[in-house]
Amino acid sequence: MSDVIATTPGLYPLPDWAKEDLADLKGHQKDDLISGDEGGEIAEAYARAREETVDRQREAGLDRVVEGQLRWDDMLAHPLCVHDDVETRGIVRYYDNNNFYREPVVRGELTPGGDVAAELEAASEATQAVLPGPYSLSDLATDEHYGDDASFLDAVAEFLAAEAAEFPPVETLFLLEPSLVTDAPDDGEDERASAAIDTVAAAVDADVVVHTYWGSIPEKPYAHLMDADVDAIGFDFVSDHEGSVYNIQEYGTKDDIALGVVDGQNTLVEAPEDIAERIEWVDSQLPNEAFGTIYASSNTELFYLPTNRAEAKLDALAAAPAEVSR
């Protein structure tokens, strides 16, 4: 059996105390928050919450620890929403669920700002970085500067690559690309999306996982994604196990693989032995020789869940590798 690594795609829910404290603080300092310029008390609250989130992952025993992305109120759109040359406008539904984000409208050059790198520096024990993938970030944003979709995608990829180049050393980078499923690229655009992912992946000295979710990628975009120079592709085996298995059987996959085998949106907590059984089932369906590494993860980000349920899922994920048949 492959080496099974317990991890997550990040974006954790805020601890309950932080939700209350930050809501109150932001209500009094809302004029300072337009570009992510939090005041001292807000920064202190996030720092305390970040430390708790990192400690909780270590307590659970996860093999990869993320910073938590607790400041990402706009979810995957966050790196643009705090940029000086991006205007945040109205509230937009985040994919097809009951979460919302401020629409980032790009009105100038996307120069790197170091926001995500600073978060990682503050979480010195983090071993895994998280970024939106370039295709998904460009899909969530509106361009009023670059002029066409291809130029905009390239600019977003270069922006993310420059941000990633400033990261402190980490073992793994998860690029989250749900738009490859929900708004799959058309002919020609699918090849550009793969090249954009290459641009970001080349900027880090870490194993890069392109994690997709909310279904399975259509065949042609998946085939182009296989051309990207990344270490693993992630599959949502909660939402669409049949489509995920089909892609892998038909087109193959990388030497490593990420499996979304814990439901990131359902409060029901899976037992470690059930998670292990799902990992073993996936492995049994695939014709490949054993993968070098299997990243066992929730299928989606965890911010949809109450804090106590998210933490219970961390415990279950961390315990699952020991239950996998060797």
Side-chain angles (χ1 to χ4, degrees), residues 273-317:
E273 55 268 26
D274 293 335
I275 299 171
E277 186 177 326
R278 293 175 186 179
I279 295 169
E280 292 168 351
W281 180 86
V282 173
D283 194 59
S284 73
Q285 301 299 305
L286 306 182
N288 305 32
E289 297 180 2
F291 294 103
T293 299
I294 294 175
Y295 296 92
S297 173
S298 57
N299 64 328
T300 69
E301 313 100 316
L302 293 174
F303 64 78
Y304 306 98
L305 298 172
T307 303
N308 63 339
R309 295 296 183 175
E311 291 181 349
K313 286 178 183 267
L314 297 183
D315 293 333
L317 261 172

Side-chain angles (χ1 to χ4, degrees), residues 39-111:
E41 288 182 291
I42 291 177
E44 288 173 9
Y46 274 124
R48 176 184 164 196
R50 179 188 295 116
E51 183 177 357
E52 287 187 10
T53 299
V54 169
D55 287 347
R56 187 62 183 81
Q57 293 172 76
R58 290 175 57 83
E59 177 188 333
L62 287 174
D63 298 300
R64 296 288 185 272
V65 173
V66 299
E67 180 270 334
Q69 296 72 50
L70 302 176
R71 290 177 55 245
W72 292 25
D73 292 342
D74 299 289
M75 293 157 285
L76 294 187
H78 169 84
L80 289 183
C81 289
V82 297
H83 195 283
D84 289 343
D85 288 325
V86 175
E87 177 186 347
T88 51
R89 294 183 184 167
I91 300 298
V92 182
R93 186 180 293 274
Y94 182 65
Y95 295 100
D96 189 20
N97 57 47
N98 292 323
N99 291 271
F100 299 86
Y101 68 103
R102 298 172 299 166
E103 178 190 15
V105 181
V106 178
R107 306 190 67 186
E109 291 294 317
L110 289 176
T111 53

